[in-house]
PDB file of all heavy atoms in Angstrom:
ATOM      1  N   MET A   1     -15.696  80.199 -29.932  1.00 49.00           N
ATOM      2  CA  MET A   1     -14.961  81.287 -29.273  1.00 49.00           C
ATOM      3  C   MET A   1     -13.488  80.808 -28.899  1.00 49.00           C
ATOM      4  O   MET A   1     -13.484  79.778 -28.286  1.00 49.00           O
ATOM      5  CB  MET A   1     -15.747  81.821 -28.125  1.00 49.00           C
ATOM      6  CG  MET A   1     -15.083  82.863 -27.250  1.00 49.00           C
ATOM      7  SD  MET A   1     -15.004  84.310 -28.140  1.00 49.00           S
ATOM      8  CE  MET A   1     -13.321  84.846 -27.611  1.00 49.00           C
ATOM      9  N   MET A   6      -8.318  85.117 -25.764  1.00 85.00           N
ATOM     10  CA  MET A   6      -8.868  86.151 -24.977  1.00 85.00           C
ATOM     11  C   MET A   6      -8.127  86.147 -23.579  1.00 85.00           C
ATOM     12  O   MET A   6      -7.747  87.141 -23.000  1.00 85.00           O
ATOM     13  CB  MET A   6     -10.472  86.063 -24.724  1.00 85.00           C
ATOM     14  CG  MET A   6     -10.983  87.291 -23.966  1.00 85.00           C
ATOM     15  SD  MET A   6     -12.656  87.480 -24.215  1.00 85.00           S
ATOM     16  CE  MET A   6     -12.816  87.754 -25.999  1.00 85.00           C
ATOM     17  N   ILE A   7      -7.827  85.061 -22.964  1.00 90.00           N
ATOM     18  CA  ILE A   7      -7.141  84.854 -21.739  1.00 90.00           C
ATOM     19  C   ILE A   7      -5.697  85.519 -21.844  1.00 90.00           C
ATOM     20  O   ILE A   7      -5.179  86.225 -21.151  1.00 90.00           O
ATOM     21  CB  ILE A   7      -7.087  83.455 -21.270  1.00 90.00           C
ATOM     22  CG1 ILE A   7      -8.392  82.905 -20.955  1.00 90.00           C
ATOM     23  CG2 ILE A   7      -6.157  83.364 -20.001  1.00 90.00           C
ATOM     24  CD1 ILE A   7      -8.588  81.489 -20.813  1.00 90.00           C
ATOM     25  N   VAL A   8      -5.001  85.014 -22.913  1.00 90.00           N
ATOM     26  CA  VAL A   8      -3.513  85.479 -23.223  1.00 90.00           C
ATOM     27  C   VAL A   8      -3.605  86.946 -23.431  1.00 90.00           C
ATOM     28  O   VAL A   8      -2.863  87.634 -22.904  1.00 90.00           O
ATOM     29  CB  VAL A   8      -2.976  84.638 -24.295  1.00 90.00           C
ATOM     30  CG1 VAL A   8      -1.736  85.329 -24.899  1.00 90.00           C
ATOM     31  CG2 VAL A   8      -2.831  83.146 -23.958  1.00 90.00           C
ATOM     32  N   ASP A   9      -4.573  87.393 -24.272  1.00 85.00           N
ATOM     33  CA  ASP A   9      -4.555  88.852 -24.530  1.00 85.00           C
ATOM     34  C   ASP A   9      -4.737  89.737 -23.328  1.00 85.00           C
ATOM     35  O   ASP A   9      -4.135  90.819 -23.050  1.00 85.00           O
ATOM     36  CB  ASP A   9      -5.590  89.145 -25.556  1.00 85.00           C
ATOM     37  CG  ASP A   9      -5.302  88.730 -27.166  1.00 85.00           C
ATOM     38  OD1 ASP A   9      -4.027  88.399 -27.249  1.00 85.00           O
ATOM     39  OD2 ASP A   9      -6.154  88.699 -27.830  1.00 85.00           O
ATOM     40  N   SER A  19       7.254  84.832 -19.149  1.00 92.00           N
ATOM     41  CA  SER A  19       8.261  84.097 -18.536  1.00 92.00           C
ATOM     42  C   SER A  19       8.030  83.522 -17.174  1.00 92.00           C
ATOM     43  O   SER A  19       8.738  82.738 -16.515  1.00 92.00           O
ATOM     44  CB  SER A  19       9.591  84.928 -18.388  1.00 92.00           C
ATOM     45  OG  SER A  19       9.438  86.166 -17.541  1.00 92.00           O
ATOM     46  N   TYR A  20       6.905  84.100 -16.512  1.00 93.00           N
ATOM     47  CA  TYR A  20       6.422  83.555 -15.267  1.00 93.00           C
ATOM     48  C   TYR A  20       5.987  82.072 -15.458  1.00 93.00           C
ATOM     49  O   TYR A  20       5.318  81.839 -16.278  1.00 93.00           O
ATOM     50  CB  TYR A  20       5.274  84.392 -14.669  1.00 93.00           C
ATOM     51  CG  TYR A  20       5.530  85.632 -14.239  1.00 93.00           C
ATOM     52  CD1 TYR A  20       5.045  86.909 -14.756  1.00 93.00           C
ATOM     53  CD2 TYR A  20       6.263  85.916 -13.036  1.00 93.00           C
ATOM     54  CE1 TYR A  20       5.244  88.104 -14.341  1.00 93.00           C
ATOM     55  CE2 TYR A  20       6.630  87.285 -12.539  1.00 93.00           C
ATOM     56  CZ  TYR A  20       6.045  88.334 -13.293  1.00 93.00           C
ATOM     57  OH  TYR A  20       6.353  89.497 -12.786  1.00 93.00           O
ATOM     58  N   LYS A  37     -17.295  75.627 -14.269  1.00 91.00           N
ATOM     59  CA  LYS A  37     -17.225  76.791 -13.192  1.00 91.00           C
ATOM     60  C   LYS A  37     -16.840  76.331 -11.793  1.00 91.00           C
ATOM     61  O   LYS A  37     -16.348  77.050 -11.055  1.00 91.00           O
ATOM     62  CB  LYS A  37     -18.451  77.465 -13.101  1.00 91.00           C
ATOM     63  CG  LYS A  37     -18.498  78.820 -12.303  1.00 91.00           C
ATOM     64  CD  LYS A  37     -19.760  79.584 -12.361  1.00 91.00           C
ATOM     65  CE  LYS A  37     -19.661  80.728 -11.418  1.00 91.00           C
ATOM     66  NZ  LYS A  37     -20.945  81.419 -11.307  1.00 91.00           N
ATOM     67  N   ILE A  43     -10.762  75.303  -5.904  1.00 94.00           N
ATOM     68  CA  ILE A  43      -9.460  75.666  -6.379  1.00 94.00           C
ATOM     69  C   ILE A  43      -8.329  74.710  -5.772  1.00 94.00           C
ATOM     70  O   ILE A  43      -7.532  74.232  -6.509  1.00 94.00           O
ATOM     71  CB  ILE A  43      -9.115  77.100  -6.295  1.00 94.00           C
ATOM     72  CG1 ILE A  43      -7.952  77.524  -7.004  1.00 94.00           C
ATOM     73  CG2 ILE A  43      -9.000  77.474  -4.780  1.00 94.00           C
ATOM     74  CD1 ILE A  43      -7.683  79.183  -7.178  1.00 94.00           C
ATOM     75  N   SER A  46      -9.404  70.717  -6.546  1.00 94.00           N
ATOM     76  CA  SER A  46      -9.397  70.245  -7.988  1.00 94.00           C
ATOM     77  C   SER A  46      -8.552  70.957  -8.899  1.00 94.00           C
ATOM     78  O   SER A  46      -7.764  70.361  -9.692  1.00 94.00           O
ATOM     79  CB  SER A  46     -10.908  70.148  -8.324  1.00 94.00           C
ATOM     80  OG  SER A  46     -11.344  71.385  -8.395  1.00 94.00           O
ATOM     81  N   THR A  57       3.887  68.675 -12.076  1.00 96.00           N
ATOM     82  CA  THR A  57       4.538  69.293 -10.884  1.00 96.00           C
ATOM     83  C   THR A  57       3.736  69.155  -9.777  1.00 96.00           C
ATOM     84  O   THR A  57       2.720  68.456  -9.735  1.00 96.00           O
ATOM     85  CB  THR A  57       4.757  70.834 -11.258  1.00 96.00           C
ATOM     86  OG1 THR A  57       5.581  71.429 -10.208  1.00 96.00           O
ATOM     87  CG2 THR A  57       3.362  71.574 -11.435  1.00 96.00           C
ATOM     88  N   SER A  58       3.976  69.848  -8.653  1.00 96.00           N
ATOM     89  CA  SER A  58       3.182  69.729  -7.359  1.00 96.00           C
ATOM     90  C   SER A  58       2.197  70.826  -7.368  1.00 96.00           C
ATOM     91  O   SER A  58       2.321  71.827  -7.978  1.00 96.00           O
ATOM     92  CB  SER A  58       4.164  69.728  -6.212  1.00 96.00           C
ATOM     93  OG  SER A  58       4.564  71.146  -6.015  1.00 96.00           O
ATOM     94  N   ASN A  60       1.627  72.566  -4.850  1.00 96.00           N
ATOM     95  CA  ASN A  60       2.093  73.729  -4.041  1.00 96.00           C
ATOM     96  C   ASN A  60       2.948  74.703  -5.020  1.00 96.00           C
ATOM     97  O   ASN A  60       2.785  75.845  -4.941  1.00 96.00           O
ATOM     98  CB  ASN A  60       3.200  73.284  -2.991  1.00 96.00           C
ATOM     99  CG  ASN A  60       2.635  72.241  -2.123  1.00 96.00           C
ATOM    100  OD1 ASN A  60       2.262  71.201  -2.407  1.00 96.00           O
ATOM    101  ND2 ASN A  60       2.450  72.647  -0.785  1.00 96.00           N
ATOM    102  N   SER A  76      -0.223  95.991 -11.996  1.00 84.00           N
ATOM    103  CA  SER A  76      -0.241  96.483 -13.299  1.00 84.00           C
ATOM    104  C   SER A  76      -0.584  97.951 -13.373  1.00 84.00           C
ATOM    105  O   SER A  76      -1.320  98.503 -12.433  1.00 84.00           O
ATOM    106  CB  SER A  76      -1.355  95.726 -14.152  1.00 84.00           C
ATOM    107  OG  SER A  76      -1.675  96.332 -15.322  1.00 84.00           O
ATOM    108  N   VAL A  79      -4.848 100.594 -15.093  1.00 81.00           N
ATOM    109  CA  VAL A  79      -5.819 100.837 -14.068  1.00 81.00           C
ATOM    110  C   VAL A  79      -7.222 100.598 -14.597  1.00 81.00           C
ATOM    111  O   VAL A  79      -8.073 100.095 -13.785  1.00 81.00           O
ATOM    112  CB  VAL A  79      -5.758 102.297 -13.499  1.00 81.00           C
ATOM    113  CG1 VAL A  79      -6.798 102.683 -12.484  1.00 81.00           C
ATOM    114  CG2 VAL A  79      -4.415 102.521 -12.981  1.00 81.00           C
ATOM    115  N   SER A  90      -8.430 102.417  -5.153  1.00 59.00           N
ATOM    116  CA  SER A  90      -7.138 102.640  -4.494  1.00 59.00           C
ATOM    117  C   SER A  90      -6.991 101.877  -3.148  1.00 59.00           C
ATOM    118  O   SER A  90      -5.864 101.582  -2.748  1.00 59.00           O
ATOM    119  CB  SER A  90      -6.904 104.101  -4.287  1.00 59.00           C
ATOM    120  OG  SER A  90      -8.146 104.665  -3.500  1.00 59.00           O
ATOM    121  N   PHE A 101      -9.450  83.891  -9.997  1.00 95.00           N
ATOM    122  CA  PHE A 101     -10.108  83.055 -11.085  1.00 95.00           C
ATOM    123  C   PHE A 101     -11.602  83.350 -11.133  1.00 95.00           C
ATOM    124  O   PHE A 101     -11.952  83.292 -12.345  1.00 95.00           O
ATOM    125  CB  PHE A 101      -9.850  81.512 -10.787  1.00 95.00           C
ATOM    126  CG  PHE A 101      -8.523  80.893 -11.170  1.00 95.00           C
ATOM    127  CD1 PHE A 101      -7.420  80.892 -10.355  1.00 95.00           C
ATOM    128  CD2 PHE A 101      -8.431  80.569 -12.500  1.00 95.00           C
ATOM    129  CE1 PHE A 101      -6.278  80.506 -10.842  1.00 95.00           C
ATOM    130  CE2 PHE A 101      -7.106  80.001 -12.928  1.00 95.00           C
ATOM    131  CZ  PHE A 101      -6.059  79.974 -12.126  1.00 95.00           C
ATOM    132  N   TYR A 107     -15.359  88.028 -15.969  1.00 87.00           N
ATOM    133  CA  TYR A 107     -14.928  89.012 -17.021  1.00 87.00           C
ATOM    134  C   TYR A 107     -15.020  88.419 -18.399  1.00 87.00           C
ATOM    135  O   TYR A 107     -15.616  88.875 -19.290  1.00 87.00           O
ATOM    136  CB  TYR A 107     -13.566  89.566 -16.661  1.00 87.00           C
ATOM    137  CG  TYR A 107     -12.908  90.403 -17.811  1.00 87.00           C
ATOM    138  CD1 TYR A 107     -13.426  91.664 -18.114  1.00 87.00           C
ATOM    139  CD2 TYR A 107     -11.905  89.837 -18.684  1.00 87.00           C
ATOM    140  CE1 TYR A 107     -12.950  92.415 -19.129  1.00 87.00           C
ATOM    141  CE2 TYR A 107     -11.420  90.571 -19.672  1.00 87.00           C
ATOM    142  CZ  TYR A 107     -11.854  91.855 -19.954  1.00 87.00           C
ATOM    143  OH  TYR A 107     -11.324  92.687 -20.895  1.00 87.00           O
ATOM    144  N   PRO A 127     -19.421  93.961 -20.531  1.00 61.00           N
ATOM    145  CA  PRO A 127     -19.863  93.433 -19.245  1.00 61.00           C
ATOM    146  C   PRO A 127     -20.711  94.406 -18.465  1.00 61.00           C
ATOM    147  O   PRO A 127     -21.396  93.890 -17.518  1.00 61.00           O
ATOM    148  CB  PRO A 127     -18.627  93.135 -18.647  1.00 61.00           C
ATOM    149  CG  PRO A 127     -17.563  93.903 -19.365  1.00 61.00           C
ATOM    150  CD  PRO A 127     -18.066  94.136 -20.641  1.00 61.00           C
ATOM    151  N   SER A 129     -23.043  97.094 -19.815  1.00 62.00           N
ATOM    152  CA  SER A 129     -24.315  97.283 -20.404  1.00 62.00           C
ATOM    153  C   SER A 129     -25.072  96.171 -20.904  1.00 62.00           C
ATOM    154  O   SER A 129     -26.221  96.140 -21.304  1.00 62.00           O
ATOM    155  CB  SER A 129     -24.221  98.336 -21.553  1.00 62.00           C
ATOM    156  OG  SER A 129     -23.503  97.782 -22.521  1.00 62.00           O
ATOM    157  N   LEU A 136     -14.930  97.510 -27.383  1.00 68.00           N
ATOM    158  CA  LEU A 136     -14.289  96.285 -26.958  1.00 68.00           C
ATOM    159  C   LEU A 136     -13.921  95.328 -28.161  1.00 68.00           C
ATOM    160  O   LEU A 136     -12.905  94.743 -28.092  1.00 68.00           O
ATOM    161  CB  LEU A 136     -15.145  95.531 -25.935  1.00 68.00           C
ATOM    162  CG  LEU A 136     -15.062  95.980 -24.428  1.00 68.00           C
ATOM    163  CD1 LEU A 136     -16.148  95.236 -23.722  1.00 68.00           C
ATOM    164  CD2 LEU A 136     -13.713  95.907 -23.840  1.00 68.00           C
ATOM    165  N   PHE A 139     -10.876  96.642 -29.665  1.00 68.00           N
ATOM    166  CA  PHE A 139      -9.721  96.443 -28.840  1.00 68.00           C
ATOM    167  C   PHE A 139      -9.169  95.020 -29.180  1.00 68.00           C
ATOM    168  O   PHE A 139      -7.980  94.821 -29.408  1.00 68.00           O
ATOM    169  CB  PHE A 139     -10.160  96.700 -27.313  1.00 68.00           C
ATOM    170  CG  PHE A 139      -9.150  95.960 -26.370  1.00 68.00           C
ATOM    171  CD1 PHE A 139      -7.863  96.661 -26.184  1.00 68.00           C
ATOM    172  CD2 PHE A 139      -9.433  94.948 -25.830  1.00 68.00           C
ATOM    173  CE1 PHE A 139      -7.064  95.985 -25.305  1.00 68.00           C
ATOM    174  CE2 PHE A 139      -8.564  94.315 -24.933  1.00 68.00           C
ATOM    175  CZ  PHE A 139      -7.282  94.938 -24.583  1.00 68.00           C
ATOM    176  N   THR A 144      -5.432  91.161 -31.749  1.00 57.00           N
ATOM    177  CA  THR A 144      -5.233  90.047 -32.542  1.00 57.00           C
ATOM    178  C   THR A 144      -4.272  90.373 -33.711  1.00 57.00           C
ATOM    179  O   THR A 144      -3.387  89.665 -34.064  1.00 57.00           O
ATOM    180  CB  THR A 144      -6.618  89.477 -33.178  1.00 57.00           C
ATOM    181  OG1 THR A 144      -7.402  89.218 -31.936  1.00 57.00           O
ATOM    182  CG2 THR A 144      -6.464  88.321 -34.035  1.00 57.00           C
ATOM    183  N   GLU A 148      -0.570  88.908 -34.621  1.00 54.00           N
ATOM    184  CA  GLU A 148      -0.263  88.242 -35.918  1.00 54.00           C
ATOM    185  C   GLU A 148       1.024  88.827 -36.605  1.00 54.00           C
ATOM    186  O   GLU A 148       1.767  88.111 -37.332  1.00 54.00           O
ATOM    187  CB  GLU A 148      -1.473  88.350 -36.929  1.00 54.00           C
ATOM    188  CG  GLU A 148      -2.665  87.550 -36.534  1.00 54.00           C
ATOM    189  CD  GLU A 148      -3.808  87.937 -37.300  1.00 54.00           C
ATOM    190  OE1 GLU A 148      -3.864  88.864 -38.135  1.00 54.00           O
ATOM    191  OE2 GLU A 148      -4.888  87.091 -37.035  1.00 54.00           O
ATOM    192  N   LYS A 152       7.593  85.581 -33.411  1.00 48.00           N
ATOM    193  CA  LYS A 152       7.338  84.659 -32.505  1.00 48.00           C
ATOM    194  C   LYS A 152       8.634  84.107 -31.803  1.00 48.00           C
ATOM    195  O   LYS A 152       9.658  84.163 -31.880  1.00 48.00           O
ATOM    196  CB  LYS A 152       6.551  83.441 -32.890  1.00 48.00           C
ATOM    197  CG  LYS A 152       5.246  84.048 -33.482  1.00 48.00           C
ATOM    198  CD  LYS A 152       4.282  82.952 -33.442  1.00 48.00           C
ATOM    199  CE  LYS A 152       3.017  83.627 -33.992  1.00 48.00           C
ATOM    200  NZ  LYS A 152       1.790  83.262 -33.820  1.00 48.00           N
TER     201      LYS A 152
END
Side-chain angles (χ1 to χ4, degrees):
M1 174 65 217
M6 189 159 299
I7 295 163
V8 167
D9 287 347
S19 64
Y20 288 116
K37 187 179 177 182
I43 191 167
S46 61
T57 189
S58 70
N60 303 68
S76 170
V79 178
S90 59
F101 276 96
Y107 171 71
S129 68
L136 277 174
F139 165 75
T144 302
E148 289 171 356
K152 301 203 183 206

